[in-house]
Amino acid sequence: MEVQGLKIKRLKQGIVSSVLLSLLIGSSGNALAEEPDLEAEAAILVEAESGKIVYEDHIDVILPPASMTKIMTEFLVHEAVDQGEISWEDEVKISDKVRQLSLDTSLSNVPLRQDETYTVKELYEAMAIYSANGATIALAEHVAGSEAKFVERMNAKAEELGMENYKFVNSSGLNNQSMKGNHPSGTEADEENMMSARATAILTYHLLKNYPEVLDTASIREKTFKEGTEDYIEMQNWNWMLPGSVFAYEGVDGLKTGFTDLAGNAFTGTVERDGLRYISVVMRTESREARFQETAKLFDYGFDQFSQETVIKEGEQVEGHQTVSVIKGKEDEVSVTAGSDLQVLVEEGQEENLTPVVTINKELLTEEGELEAPLEKGETIGTIRVEGMTEEDYLHEKMTSNAEVPLVLEEDVEKAGWFALSLRGIGSFFGNMWENAATFVRGLF
């Protein structure tokens, strides 16, 4: 099968990322905590703020995501609202295709009629809470004019977000066969969406970054669709880890389950405790229950063994890099500090192995490695990061910048006047002459 955006990388099977191996073991030689033994074909756990990978197993294997596809549909609906293409109160026209599919009780659905009024918000809630497939396609048609055009947006957005190992063929995550000939044009009758665990986590990372309000709906455990009408449906959230659910886990507030015969059971979850948020993906577990049980193992591992630690605080200096030399200024050096707090995820007991590393922007330096006045307080001249961090430790190479903070000037440095600069030039000239003469004399003896 030809897969759009497919750039298969070296598979990493159940190992902690190289950053944790090089950074967290450190000089103490302490062993890392034992990783959870998961029963899933692919799984990943990511710290949601930075995109740093905490656990990975077959994360680049491309698999069917089933209804986790709807995470992309949610993204594009939010984006369309944000850009003014549509509004939450828009009335959505129900096509013949959507009407027919929405009546299929073998699929997750709410019944949709063509003589009833539905808003974007109502259909979005049905999609996000109840995974309603007909409602999802209705939204796709409303946003893009047709599901086929919406699928084009899905694939384009995936590329834009830096996802790899994916292919979208419909907006809902169904196998096209379930659509009984009404699958999007340009796709095959038996095709199904495909996405790796890494790609799914990248998508979720960006959704939470751009539209965190998605969790306001994803965290609703139950709601009545079209309450007060003959078509009302009591929607129960398929996410059984939400508070009050059978597999409730403290802090879980999203995100999306998935199931088809080909995909098996899958779940993309997110959880937050004391300011630390994780994103998880498990794919192809043996049962509905197992996808939550395996996710709980990942969350336990993340919260029990790791914590956010501050490497350097805003305004603090890195030892050995407190100042930078300056030319043509009233002062010949300037103090530099961290422009903001640098925090990283670290395994318990390994906090002392965190070493800050300073990198100065070479484009700002002279050939002699100096800054040239005038300089302004707060100006960024480089970065501070933690030793050992590499792009392999993150969902995407561009996310390595999330693990660094700016190195800034602590004070202004005014440019010296022409007279002072002239005196320095004269002093330098005679200083060089004296040094050359002394060298010559030493050479005679």
Side-chain angles (χ1 to χ4, degrees):
M1 176 179 62
E2 180 181 354
V3 180
Q4 180 174 345
L6 185 60
K7 301 175 183 176
I8 298 296
K9 295 182 176 180
R10 178 179 58 87
L11 299 182
K12 307 168 189 175
Q13 302 180 3
I15 61 171
V16 174
S17 56
S18 60
V19 61
L20 293 176
L21 291 175
S22 62
L23 175 61
L24 301 182
I25 292 179
S27 59
S28 67
N30 293 342
L32 293 173
E34 184 176 351
E35 295 179 345
D37 182 17
L38 296 189
E39 296 181 7
E41 192 158 322
I44 190 169
L45 181 67
V46 177
E47 193 271 304
E49 182 63 27
S50 67
K52 182 178 177 180
I53 299 172
V54 175
Y55 175 92
E56 56 180 300
D57 184 19
H58 292 85
I59 63 174
D60 292 309
V61 174
I62 189 165
L63 296 167
S67 279
M68 295 193 307
T69 295
K70 294 181 175 75
I71 299 173
M72 176 61 86
T73 301
E74 291 173 0
F75 190 107
L76 292 177
V77 169
H78 277 278
E79 183 177 68
V81 171
D82 187 53
Q83 295 179 355
E85 290 185 67
I86 64 173
S87 77
W88 292 112
E89 302 309 316
D90 280 356
E91 294 183 2
V92 179
K93 182 180 179 181
I94 303 302
S95 66
D96 293 340
K97 166 185 173 178
V98 169
R99 166 65 175 168
Q100 179 181 345
L101 182 69
S102 75
L103 297 179
D104 189 340
T105 56
S106 68
L107 306 174
S108 185
N109 267 315
V110 294
L112 301 175
R113 300 167 50 160
Q114 293 170 309
D115 59 351
E116 179 62 88
T117 299
Y118 305 95
T119 66
V120 168
K121 183 178 180 181
E122 286 177 315
L123 296 176
Y124 178 88
E125 289 175 342
M127 171 180 65
I129 298 170
Y130 200 52
S131 199
N133 292 290
T136 301
I137 298 171
L139 288 169
E141 293 178 345
H142 184 69
V143 169
S146 70
E147 188 178 17
K149 291 181 179 178
F150 190 83
V151 169
E152 292 177 4
R153 290 195 184 194
M154 296 172 80
N155 285 303
K157 180 58 65 175
E159 182 177 3
E160 178 186 325
L161 296 179
M163 294 168 57
E164 299 176 349
N165 307 338
Y166 67 88
K167 184 179 183 180
F168 292 108
V169 298
N170 63 54
S171 61
S172 64
L174 293 172
N175 187 294
N176 275 355
Q177 288 181 334
S178 299
M179 303 173 75
K180 300 175 182 178
N182 288 320
H183 56 278
S185 61
T187 66
E188 300 298 325
D190 61 349
E191 279 193 291
E192 189 161 336
N193 296 312
M194 302 296 285
M195 198 159 48
S196 69
R198 183 199 295 267
T200 307
I202 289 175
L203 173 57
T204 303
Y205 168 90
H206 286 290
L207 176 63
L208 297 182
K209 285 279 190 181
N210 287 277
Y211 308 109
E213 62 271 24
V214 67
L215 298 178
D216 295 339
T217 304
S219 60
I220 297 174
R221 192 165 71 90
E222 55 185 24
K223 188 166 187 175
T224 303
F225 180 77
K226 299 307 286 186
E227 186 172 9
T229 72
E230 63 182 43
D231 290 331
Y232 82 94
I233 292 287
E234 298 294 342
M235 299 187 297
Q236 301 288 328
N237 201 313
W238 292 104
N239 179 359
W240 296 351
M241 298 188 80
L242 292 173
S245 300
V246 62
F247 292 103
Y249 192 98
E250 180 187 352
V252 168
D253 51 8
L255 186 60
K256 193 72 200 70
T257 58
F259 172 80
T260 64
D261 289 338
L262 180 61
N265 293 276
F267 178 53
T268 296
T270 184
V271 62
E272 188 272 334
R273 289 183 184 176
D274 299 323
L276 175 58
R277 178 175 290 278
Y278 285 112
I279 295 167
S280 65
V281 181
V282 295
M283 304 182 76
R284 275 196 181 154
T285 65
E286 293 186 356
S287 66
R288 287 182 178 178
E289 294 79 8
R291 59 188 173 185
F292 304 121
Q293 293 166 336
E294 303 310 298
T295 297
K297 292 178 185 178
L298 287 176
F299 290 162
D300 285 345
Y301 178 65
F303 287 121
D304 291 347
Q305 300 299 327
F306 297 87
S307 62
Q308 289 280 19
E309 298 296 330
T310 301
V311 179
I312 190 169
K313 293 183 178 180
E314 180 179 356
E316 288 185 345
Q317 296 183 313
V318 177
E319 186 176 353
H321 298 277
Q322 292 94 335
T323 62
V324 178
S325 297
V326 177
I327 63 168
K328 299 184 180 180
K330 288 187 175 182
E331 291 81 27
D332 57 10
E333 65 179 16
V334 60
S335 296
V336 291
T337 63
S340 58
D341 292 353
L342 174 58
Q343 292 186 318
V344 297
L345 195 69
V346 59
E347 186 181 6
E348 183 179 357
Q350 300 297 327
E351 296 85 354
E352 294 182 359
N353 296 324
L354 300 173
T355 303
V357 176
V358 169
T359 301
I360 298 178
N361 186 349
K362 293 182 179 180
E363 294 180 0
L364 300 177
L365 299 176
T366 66
E367 292 183 359
E368 289 74 27
E370 299 170 311
L371 294 171
E372 183 173 335
L375 300 168
E376 185 176 346
K377 179 180 179 179
E379 181 180 347
T380 297
I381 65 163
T383 61
I384 305 173
R385 59 181 176 81
V386 175
E387 185 178 27
M389 296 290 187
T390 70
E391 64 184 39
E392 293 295 325
D393 307 316
Y394 293 84
L395 282 173
H396 191 276
E397 59 186 13
K398 292 182 179 179
M399 295 180 189
T400 54
S401 62
N402 293 333
E404 59 188 31
V405 295
L407 179 71
V408 301
L409 302 181
E410 182 65 11
E411 54 206 359
D412 295 329
V413 179
E414 296 182 15
K415 187 172 183 178
W418 68 268
F419 184 70
L421 291 175
S422 297
L423 289 178
R424 291 180 188 176
I426 293 171
S428 176
F429 172 75
F430 283 108
N432 289 336
M433 285 185 60
W434 174 255
E435 179 63 27
N436 291 336
T439 301
F440 175 74
V441 171
R442 284 195 298 269
L444 294 176
F445 299 96

